[in-house]
Amino acid sequence: MYDKHYTRLNQYRSLWILVFFDLPTETRKERKIASTFRKKLLDDGFSMFQFSIYMRFCASRENAEVHTKRIKNNLPEHGKIGVMQITDKQFGMMELFYGKKLVETDKPSQQLELF
């Protein structure tokens, strides 16, 4: 019997990783470190949600753990970084506004996964 709760891609199994960061940028060296951290997020498939918030869709918890581990391996020595995983269902319940105008949330793009 087919059960939608156990399909590979559903709103409760798929996750969004949100990375929040506040890195020092006082010196040239600190700016380079912050820029490198951002570039590594982009190279790993994250996209900018807001200036210091990046997000990435993951089809499974295992996939999300791989990307979370990469973030932890690339943490700069200074600054604050937060990593949060939420389900696609929770992400879909977010209300986004541009000024006072409500805007639709982006749907996850189709990503090819090779095993």
Side-chain angles (χ1 to χ4, degrees), residues 23-37:
L23 300 176
T25 56
E26 301 280 323
T27 67
R28 186 174 187 193
K29 181 179 178 184
E30 289 173 338
R31 285 190 296 275
K32 179 156 179 53
I33 290 169
S35 179
T36 300
F37 182 72

Side-chain angles (χ1 to χ4, degrees), residues 30-74:
E30 289 173 338
R31 285 190 296 275
K32 179 156 179 53
I33 290 169
S35 179
T36 300
F37 182 72
R38 269 188 74 257
K39 186 175 182 328
K40 286 181 180 179
L41 288 174
L42 293 170
D43 289 346
D44 196 28
F46 284 81
S47 58
M48 186 169 71
F49 183 69
Q50 291 184 354
F51 289 121
S52 293
I53 303 173
Y54 283 69
M55 64 182 188
R56 186 186 200 289
F57 178 78
C58 295
S60 68
R61 184 165 306 283
E62 296 80 13
N63 183 246
E65 289 302 322
V66 167
H67 294 286
T68 300
K69 186 175 180 179
R70 283 186 192 149
I71 295 166
K72 290 177 181 178
N73 288 337
N74 293 316

Side-chain angles (χ1 to χ4, degrees), residues 6-115:
Y6 296 106
T7 58
R8 184 159 172 4
L9 291 175
N10 73 40
Q11 292 180 317
Y12 298 99
R13 281 189 42 102
S14 54
L15 299 170
W16 286 88
I17 302 174
L18 297 160
V19 180
F20 313 90
F21 59 91
D22 186 13
L23 300 176
T25 56
E26 301 280 323
T27 67
R28 186 174 187 193
K29 181 179 178 184
E30 289 173 338
R31 285 190 296 275
K32 179 156 179 53
I33 290 169
S35 179
T36 300
F37 182 72
R38 269 188 74 257
K39 186 175 182 328
K40 286 181 180 179
L41 288 174
L42 293 170
D43 289 346
D44 196 28
F46 284 81
S47 58
M48 186 169 71
F49 183 69
Q50 291 184 354
F51 289 121
S52 293
I53 303 173
Y54 283 69
M55 64 182 188
R56 186 186 200 289
F57 178 78
C58 295
S60 68
R61 184 165 306 283
E62 296 80 13
N63 183 246
E65 289 302 322
V66 167
H67 294 286
T68 300
K69 186 175 180 179
R70 283 186 192 149
I71 295 166
K72 290 177 181 178
N73 288 337
N74 293 316
L75 291 174
E77 189 174 340
H78 301 288
K80 293 182 181 180
I81 294 109
V83 180
M84 179 170 63
Q85 296 178 7
I86 60 173
T87 66
D88 188 42
K89 179 70 172 177
Q90 292 168 321
F91 186 83
M93 294 186 315
M94 180 174 23
E95 291 184 309
L96 296 174
F97 297 88
Y98 187 77
K100 292 188 176 192
K101 184 179 177 186
L102 181 66
V103 294
E104 289 291 319
T105 56
D106 292 336
K107 301 293 181 212
S109 60
Q110 292 294 330
Q111 294 184 357
L112 178 64
E113 287 189 31
L114 301 175
F115 299 94

